Each structure stands twice: as C-alpha cells, then as structure tokens.
Amino acid sequence: MPPFNKHPATAPDIGISPDQYQDDIFTGFEGPEKLLEIWFSPSPYTRGTELPENPTVRLNQDLRSIPLEVITEMLDIVHCKILNTTSNEYFDSYVLSESSLFVYPHKMVLKTCGTTTLLLAVPKILRIASEYCGYSVPYRAFYSRKSFMFPKAQVYPHTDWTHEVSFLNQYFENGSHYMIGGSNSDQWFLYLTTPNMASGSLMNLNPNGVQQSGLNGVPHHKDTTIEILMTKLDPKTMEKFYIQPDQPEGAIGGRNLEKVSGIDKIYPEAIGDSYMFNPCGFSMNGLQGEHYFTYHVTPEEQCSYASFETNIPMETLTENGTIPLQQALQKLVSQVTDVFNPGKFSVTVFESQPIEEHLKSYHLNIPKVPKYAFSDRILYQFPDYSLRYAHFVRE
Amino acid sequence: MPPFNKHPATAPDIGISPDQYQDDIFTGFEGPEKLLEIWFSPSPYTRGTELPENPTVRLNQDLRSIPLEVITEMLDIVHCKILNTTSNEYFDSYVLSESSLFVYPHKMVLKTCGTTTLLLAVPKILRIASEYCGYSVPYRAFYSRKSFMFPKAQVYPHTDWTHEVSFLNQYFENGSHYMIGGSNSDQWFLYLTTPNMASGSLMNLNPNGVQQSGLNGVPHHKDTTIEILMTKLDPKTMEKFYIQPDQPEGAIGGRNLEKVSGIDKIYPEAIGDSYMFNPCGFSMNGLQGEHYFTYHVTPEEQCSYASFETNIPMETLTENGTIPLQQALQKLVSQVTDVFNPGKFSVTVFESQPIEEHLKSYHLNIPKVPKYAFSDRILYQFPDYSLRYAHFVRE
C-alpha cells in the first residue's frame, strides 16, 4: 500500500459509530480495505442457452468485455488508478494504487483501502454491466470490511457503517447486515443480499450436467473467500517492506520482495503481479487457475496493517485430502502470519454451502495457531453461506 | 405482563441506533425484557474458608440475607414492584409488576420489561451487596436484550445500545459487547465481562473436592441460560391470556392459566408462582431445585410477545441421556412455542464451558423446529462461555 502521507486527512463530523470504539485520532494511513463483490450470474458458465463445453469460452454477457477505459472511469470514481494488469483464461487481475480489482465473466471483486470511496462506484458498475453485457439486474452482492483505524478520516458513504448500509440498500434488494466480533477485538462488518431470482441472467439456464444443489435449482458453484487481516506488525519484520536506496520500486521491486519476504513460497505455482511502493508498502495479486489471492501491506508502525485474501477453496489446501481441513487452514494461517508477524489478526472463512446442507450441525473449525491465543471464535450460518471468524492475539 | 395502556410513552430524541432498524412508532407495550445478571462469586459454595458439606448452608456473604425493604428500594429505582415471592433452599424468586427477580447467595438475576430503567439499579445493587454481604467488587456481569419494538419509548440509559454499554462500563471492568443476528431478523445484544480475579470473594477459596476446571483454578460451576423470545403470537391462541369476566386475576388466575395454556406440563415437578394481569397478560416464575424458569406474556396483537427463560441445564432435558441433546432442545423449543404459536422467535443457549474445552471445535447444534424455517444460526465462542443463537420464522 502507498505510504500514508500521500493522503490528506478529512475529518467529517459523524454520528455514533461502532467504528468509534477504536482509536479515532487520525495519525496514519487506513490500510484496512473495503471489499465489494457484485455478482451478475451464479457462475461463469450458467449464461446463454447452452452450457459451453469449455468453461473458459467468453460468452456475450461477459464483464471482461467491458473496455479498459470504462473500467478506468469507474475507478476514477473510487479515486484509484490501475498500476498493472494480468490476465489468464478465467479472469482479469488489476493491481491498483489502493489495492485490487478482479473481473470475472460473471462477477467483479473490488477491494480498496485508504480514504477511497469504493461504494460510490456501485451505480457505475451496475450501469456498465447493463450497457456492455446486458445484465439488467445484479444477481447478488457482498460488502465487508473490518473496523477502520481512523474512521473520522473516511468520506461519505464510508463515514459510518449505517451510512454504507443505507447506500447499498439504494442499489440492492433483500440486503441484510451483520456486525461480527466483540468490542474488545477488531470488529468485522458484513452486508449481503439473497440471490435475485428475478435476474434475467437465470432465465436461460440449462443446468444439464451441473450438480443440482443450489438455491431454487441454481447450480451450486462453490464460492470461498478466506481473509487474514493483520495489525500491529512487528517493526523489525516490516523493515523489508521499506524500499532500500539501491532497490527498484514498482513491479520489479515487488517481485524481489515476494522472494525476500517468503510470500512466493505459499503459492509457488501462481502467476504473481506485485508492486513495491516508494518509500514503503507492497501490493500483490496472484492468479492460480480460476482463483486469485492478494496481499496488501502498510508497514508504518503507527498504522501497520497487512491483508491476505483468496478465493482458493479450503479443499485445495488439504494436499489431495491427505491432511485434514482444519490442519490445512492452520498451516495457511501460520504461513501467512509468519511473513508479517502481527500482534493481532482475524481470520474469516466465508463459504457457500449447497442448500441441502443448511440444516446440518456445523462445526466452528478455525484452529488455534501456534504463538497466538484467540479471543472470540464465531460461526454464522446463513441460508446458503457460512462464515467462520476468529480473532487472535499474540500470546 | 401488564397491559400496555398503564405505561405512558416518552419519546426522547436519540441518535443512530441499531434498534431503529425496527419499527419505531410507539403503538404498544414493550414486552422484550432487559436481562441483567450480576455475580459476586463463581458459585454459591465457593465462599468462606471451607467448602460447606451442604451447599444449601447460607454463608455470611449471602445476597439472600439482604432485607426485603432494601430489595424493594432497589426495585423502586427500576420502577417495578414485587407482586409475589417464593423461596426454596437454593434461591428466592420474585414475580414483579414488570417481569422477575431471582436472588441466589452469589448472584442476582433481574429481568424487567416495558420502559423500566433496569440499569439505573446497578450502583444500588453493588452498594447493597457490599454493605450487607461484604462483596467489595462484583465477580462478573452479563446484560442482554433483544432489539426493542419501540425504542423511542425507552428512557436513559436504555435509549440506545451504545448508551447502555457506556453506562455498564462505568461500573464493570473488562466488559465487551456484541450485536448478534442480522438486520433482517430480531437482533440480540449482549454485554459481558471477564471474571474479576481481584474479587476478594476468591481469596479464601478452598477448592478441595471440587472439579478443578475453571478459569485460573476457580472451580467450574456449570451455568446455562436458555431463552426463547417469541413475537407475532397467534391472536386466537392469545385469547386465553385475556381475563374472562368470571375469572380471578392475580396468583389464582395465574395458576388457572398455567393449566389452560399447558405451561404446567413442561416442568410438571416445579413449584410455580404465576400472575394473571387484568385485563390481560401473564407472568410466571418456576422453581426446580437450584434452577428457575420464567415466562412473561404480552398478548395484545399490535405488540404481542412472550418470553421463556431458564437456567435448567441442557443435560437435564435428555431424560438421563436416553435422547440426544439436540433432540432434547428441539423438544423443549417445540413445547414452549406450541403454547404461544409465534410467527417468529429466537432461541439462545448461553453456556459456560470449562476452560480446557475452549480449543475444541464446537458444534452449532440448534436444531430445526417443525413448522419453522430458520434464517440465521450463529455460534459465538467466548473464552469460558459459548452462545448458540438461531432465529426462526413460521414456514
């Protein structure tokens, strides 16, 4: 992430906010990101009258066909710029001046930090999805973030969780929102809608050959988001996230830092696209088949923060089923936290579930991590998603 | 509960509140209760230099020794009156004009509805526990409630969840608070503190013969609170909660209604103390050994509400282990909801856990209930308590 002195502070006078239980004196850069996913169809291959034999075929209603200049206009509203772009057969990945954008045929994942105005782009995204891809209504939406470090520096509609919810409700139907975790830990906020079955995108659905286990007959296409949000990073460990006089910034510096930090060991087969900011900060997008992962690091001690996010399913962590899921998750969390050595962090595992599994008795299987104690562990079970959350503090 | 026209509305102008996602037009009586538990010691028999052989012995630091007139003064602050009192060897039970009070040697459980000012009694409770029983500091505290139906009718500090939290933090240390459930269901708010190990009450602890599995060596004394909070009660079913011209009100009317409603079948061996209000409404406290249960019913259609609460442990529902815990809970929930036929209800199971079980992978075992679908199911795992929550809507 870019160093914080690039971002002038604004301090609007806001009402009572859950965020304000945190320190609200503006003293640094807001690393914690806003994360928006807008889906226009339940999966990349449920569009059109026939399922394509090759799921990588680009159908006519494909968000990836939106011109780059239109994506850029959308990002101007958010107040961030494209630094680099990488694509594979499944999706387009953008490293931004403030975090990341991933564009799939059927969904857009936009993550931005600092005082960016992510939600102001919602009407533009809906308009261009309609104009360029014929998506008349969105299928569903998710918006989440942790509590801000410096809430008074945010600008509307990010001035308060209730403002964000009201804003989202202008554009999405059947939204509900949750405040997860206790006041003594970092809280995590989630807004999600139910699937919009009136979405024209589903009218032509031909589910032959696709597992019939979704909501109202929509095929269940497994969706996972794992996030590890870290604060109070060890200053000694963070030294390598500052640029040295003889080191390059940008993509080359980023690639070097992947190796120096050990990030390259976690998904060694991924295509990486990383960026080293001057004088400090780091962002990386990784592409692994149809899945992504992304890191963003703000190393300054007064506002240190690092985030890891991926949609690589939990099951791929089990090394072909040879290690239990819980142990695989523990290994991933340990690998990521070893890179940053945080004082505190939260883990969220947000997973879609076939509707017939809704009645099962769920496990809260976020494991303990060596050197850390957890305060709260939480399981939310929604009709077609589950959320596992745990907050850890260094022992 | 008393009919709502006894309670004049006040409508203070308040800030942004989670409660305000609910209907905030004042049109009826606020059935949903505030529930406060203040513990002065971890169990009734951890006081004194030796554990008594008979746990029913009243030790000198016994909240039950507080004079009745002092309890009455405390309740005056809350704005409610004692209607009846029942005692057994373990605790004293009070049916109040607005809900209930239970006094154990080591803890007080106060539950009040309407526009009562429950939290204003906190300083008085702490003072009398010190003055009459020598408890210099509380051991821990719990405060919870569901979202109000008519939040604008509440008076300070119940005008807003954030006001309640700030108020509690004046009197208790290490409090944290949680907002549980989504905006599309009835939310449930919880404040709890960690145990206060500096409590003088623990200095003389002699744990010989008591299972050593609590926090910091404090014996684990199993604590359970199960609540079923019901709204949109079936008007036809509610007719029996209105007094008929030839029927008595008060305790005799209450006893009749226990039979007519079928409430007496659920815990047939309990000592019941119930009250029929004129022209409508019902309250009941039940005493079963060291445990209580309590019902409060507001039958008026525009604000219908019924609550069931008990501290009878889940394990006693299994009929000596012959039926699984989940099935036993399902049976209890069905029995209670059959009495009131609610359109919506929430179930909360709040249970203490020995600290060594904290690292286990917990189950979210609130079962489906016939005729109802659940929206959210939630599991919160705190260091020494777990909370299972589910919200149900009639199918």
Side-chain angles (χ1 to χ4, degrees):
Chain A
M1 290 291 88
F4 73 82
N5 53 14
K6 285 170 64 182
H7 300 268
T10 58
D13 186 27
I14 57 174
I16 292 166
S17 159
D19 292 309
Q20 289 186 24
Y21 300 122
Q22 312 295 320
D23 175 5
D24 60 4
I25 300 161
F26 181 74
T27 54
F29 182 73
E30 185 68 57
E33 300 95 348
K34 302 138 185 139
L35 175 59
L36 175 71
E37 284 199 22
I38 305 183
W39 293 47
F40 291 91
S41 172
S43 78
Y45 43 85
T46 54
R47 310 284 317 166
T49 53
E50 291 293 328
L51 285 173
E53 287 182 13
N54 176 356
T56 67
V57 164
R58 294 200 186 186
L59 301 166
N60 63 338
Q61 289 177 303
D62 180 350
L63 298 172
R64 298 178 74 185
S65 65
I66 297 170
L68 181 62
E69 61 268 26
V70 176
I71 296 284
T72 304
E73 280 170 26
M74 181 274 284
L75 292 171
D76 284 345
I77 298 170
V78 181
H79 294 102
C80 57
K81 301 283 176 210
I82 296 170
L83 297 180
N84 206 6
T85 306
T86 315
S87 293
N88 67 11
E89 58 200 305
Y90 298 97
F91 67 99
D92 302 322
S93 150
Y94 300 83
V95 176
L96 305 179
S97 54
E98 276 90 355
S99 307
S100 296
L101 169 68
F102 301 97
V103 181
Y104 284 79
H106 65 303
K107 68 178 177 184
M108 217 177 254
V109 181
L110 179 55
K111 181 175 197 169
T112 70
C113 62
T115 55
T116 49
T117 50
L118 184 149
L119 289 183
L120 293 183
V122 168
K124 177 79 170 180
I125 293 170
L126 299 182
R127 199 161 58 242
I128 62 181
S130 168
E131 191 173 328
Y132 291 91
C133 315
Y135 285 116
S136 56
V137 287
Y139 172 63
R140 68 189 311 174
F142 305 91
Y143 175 69
S144 66
R145 63 171 176 86
K146 75 180 279 302
S147 44
F148 290 128
M149 292 176 175
F150 313 107
K152 288 196 172 175
Q154 293 295 320
V155 295
Y156 181 83
H158 299 289
T159 34
D160 193 285
W161 176 244
T162 59
H163 301 168
E164 292 170 296
V165 168
S166 300
F167 189 89
L168 285 158
N169 282 337
Q170 292 177 54
Y171 298 99
F172 301 105
E173 290 183 356
N174 299 315
S176 57
H177 57 96
Y178 300 85
M179 191 169 127
I180 291 154
S183 52
N184 58 349
S185 67
D186 297 313
Q187 286 173 310
W188 195 77
F189 303 92
L190 173 66
Y191 175 94
L192 76 169
T193 70
T194 55
N196 185 348
M197 292 307 166
S199 164
S201 64
L202 303 177
M203 294 309 170
N204 298 326
L205 183 67
N206 177 349
N208 291 340
V210 177
Q211 189 195 359
Q212 269 295 321
S213 58
L215 268 177
N216 295 4
V218 175
H220 179 247
H221 185 71
K222 179 81 174 187
D223 176 45
T224 302
T225 304
I226 300 174
E227 281 186 278
I228 306 173
L229 308 182
M230 297 159 273
T231 55
K232 301 198 182 303
L233 312 179
D234 175 51
K236 184 79 187 153
T237 309
M238 282 303 100
E239 284 175 6
K240 61 176 84 81
F241 290 88
Y242 283 79
I243 214 157
Q244 302 304 315
D246 56 341
Q247 284 181 329
E249 58 182 275
I252 298 170
R255 181 58 52 94
N256 290 346
L257 191 49
E258 283 178 45
K259 295 193 183 78
V260 171
S261 65
I263 283 176
D264 64 335
K265 305 282 191 307
I266 301 179
Y267 293 107
E269 289 165 22
I271 299 166
D273 183 359
S274 53
Y275 199 94
M276 178 78 205
F277 292 89
N278 188 353
C280 67
F282 173 77
S283 284
M284 177 184 184
N285 287 352
L287 295 79
Q288 181 157 303
E290 60 185 311
H291 300 113
Y292 69 83
F293 63 87
T294 183
Y295 289 89
H296 299 286
V297 186
T298 299
E300 292 102 317
E301 189 169 359
Q302 71 276 36
C303 53
S304 69
Y305 173 79
S307 68
F308 165 81
E309 180 201 338
T310 188
N311 66 352
I312 299 174
M314 294 264 282
E315 287 68 18
T316 64
L317 304 172
T318 63
E319 297 174 9
N320 298 318
T322 57
I323 58 170
L325 211 56
Q326 188 161 341
Q327 199 177 320
L329 179 62
Q330 186 183 52
K331 183 181 165 197
L332 174 68
V333 174
S334 288
Q335 282 179 313
V336 171
T337 54
D338 281 353
V339 172
F340 303 102
N341 205 355
K344 303 199 290 182
F345 65 93
S346 66
V347 175
T348 55
V349 179
F350 189 64
E351 281 187 302
S352 66
Q353 306 288 353
I355 192 72
E356 70 269 17
E357 289 186 10
H358 176 47
L359 300 182
K360 283 189 183 167
S361 172
Y362 271 55
H363 258 91
L364 177 48
N365 59 358
I366 292 189
K368 178 156 165 32
V369 175
K371 297 186 288 175
Y372 291 90
F374 34 49
S375 43
D376 305 334
R377 281 200 298 176
I378 299 165
L379 168 60
Y380 264 72
Q381 198 174 331
F382 308 110
D384 58 345
Y385 272 84
S386 69
L387 170 70
R388 292 164 172 85
Y389 170 97
H391 186 259
F392 294 81
V393 181
R394 195 188 285 132
E395 281 178 330
Chain B
M1 289 292 89
F4 74 82
N5 53 14
K6 285 169 65 181
H7 300 266
T10 58
D13 186 26
I14 58 174
I16 292 167
S17 159
D19 291 310
Q20 289 186 24
Y21 300 122
Q22 312 294 320
D23 175 4
D24 60 3
I25 300 160
F26 182 75
T27 54
F29 182 73
E30 185 67 57
E33 300 95 348
K34 302 138 186 141
L35 175 59
L36 175 72
E37 285 199 22
I38 305 183
W39 294 47
F40 292 91
S41 172
S43 78
Y45 43 85
T46 54
R47 310 284 316 165
T49 53
E50 292 292 329
L51 285 173
E53 288 182 13
N54 176 355
T56 67
V57 164
R58 294 200 185 187
L59 301 165
N60 64 338
Q61 288 177 304
D62 180 350
L63 297 171
R64 298 178 73 185
S65 65
I66 297 169
L68 181 62
E69 61 269 26
V70 176
I71 296 284
T72 304
E73 280 170 26
M74 181 273 285
L75 292 170
D76 284 345
I77 297 170
V78 181
H79 294 102
C80 58
K81 301 283 176 208
I82 296 169
L83 297 179
N84 207 6
T85 306
T86 315
S87 292
N88 68 10
E89 59 201 304
Y90 298 96
F91 67 99
D92 302 323
S93 150
Y94 300 83
V95 176
L96 306 179
S97 54
E98 276 91 355
S99 307
S100 296
L101 169 68
F102 302 97
V103 181
Y104 285 79
H106 65 303
K107 68 178 177 184
M108 217 178 255
V109 181
L110 179 55
K111 181 176 197 169
T112 70
C113 63
T115 55
T116 49
T117 49
L118 184 148
L119 289 183
L120 293 183
V122 168
K124 176 79 170 181
I125 293 170
L126 299 182
R127 199 161 57 242
I128 62 182
S130 168
E131 190 173 329
Y132 291 91
C133 314
Y135 285 115
S136 56
V137 287
Y139 172 63
R140 69 190 310 174
F142 305 91
Y143 175 68
S144 66
R145 63 172 176 85
K146 75 180 279 302
S147 44
F148 290 128
M149 293 176 174
F150 313 108
K152 289 197 172 175
Q154 293 295 320
V155 295
Y156 181 83
H158 299 289
T159 34
D160 194 284
W161 176 244
T162 59
H163 301 167
E164 292 170 296
V165 168
S166 300
F167 190 89
L168 285 158
N169 281 337
Q170 292 177 54
Y171 299 99
F172 300 105
E173 290 183 355
N174 299 316
S176 56
H177 57 95
Y178 300 85
M179 192 169 127
I180 291 154
S183 52
N184 58 348
S185 68
D186 297 313
Q187 287 173 310
W188 195 77
F189 303 92
L190 173 66
Y191 175 94
L192 76 169
T193 70
T194 55
N196 185 347
M197 292 307 166
S199 164
S201 65
L202 302 176
M203 295 309 170
N204 299 326
L205 183 68
N206 177 349
N208 291 340
V210 177
Q211 190 195 357
Q212 270 294 323
S213 58
L215 268 177
N216 295 5
V218 175
H220 179 247
H221 185 71
K222 179 81 174 187
D223 176 44
T224 302
T225 305
I226 300 173
E227 282 187 277
I228 305 172
L229 308 183
M230 297 159 273
T231 55
K232 301 200 182 301
L233 312 179
D234 175 52
K236 184 80 187 152
T237 309
M238 282 303 100
E239 284 174 5
K240 61 176 85 80
F241 290 88
Y242 283 79
I243 213 156
Q244 302 303 315
D246 56 343
Q247 284 180 330
E249 59 182 273
I252 298 170
R255 181 57 52 95
N256 290 346
L257 191 48
E258 283 178 45
K259 296 193 183 77
V260 171
S261 64
I263 283 176
D264 65 336
K265 305 283 192 304
I266 300 179
Y267 293 107
E269 289 165 21
I271 299 166
D273 183 358
S274 53
Y275 198 94
M276 178 78 205
F277 291 89
N278 188 353
C280 67
F282 173 76
S283 284
M284 177 184 184
N285 286 352
L287 296 80
Q288 181 157 303
E290 59 185 311
H291 300 114
Y292 69 83
F293 62 86
T294 184
Y295 289 90
H296 299 286
V297 186
T298 299
E300 292 102 318
E301 190 169 358
Q302 71 275 37
C303 53
S304 69
Y305 173 78
S307 68
F308 166 80
E309 179 201 339
T310 188
N311 66 352
I312 298 174
M314 293 264 281
E315 287 69 18
T316 64
L317 303 172
T318 62
E319 297 174 9
N320 298 318
T322 57
I323 57 170
L325 211 56
Q326 188 161 341
Q327 198 177 320
L329 179 63
Q330 187 183 52
K331 184 182 165 196
L332 174 68
V333 174
S334 288
Q335 282 179 313
V336 171
T337 54
D338 281 352
V339 172
F340 303 102
N341 206 355
K344 302 199 290 181
F345 65 93
S346 65
V347 175
T348 54
V349 180
F350 189 64
E351 281 187 301
S352 66
Q353 307 287 354
I355 192 72
E356 70 270 16
E357 289 187 10
H358 176 46
L359 300 182
K360 283 189 183 167
S361 172
Y362 271 55
H363 257 91
L364 178 48
N365 59 358
I366 292 189
K368 178 156 165 33
V369 175
K371 296 186 288 177
Y372 291 90
F374 35 47
S375 43
D376 305 334
R377 283 200 296 176
I378 300 165
L379 168 60
Y380 264 72
Q381 198 175 330
F382 308 109
D384 57 344
Y385 272 84
S386 69
L387 170 70
R388 293 165 172 84
Y389 170 97
H391 186 259
F392 294 82
V393 180
R394 195 189 284 132
E395 281 177 332

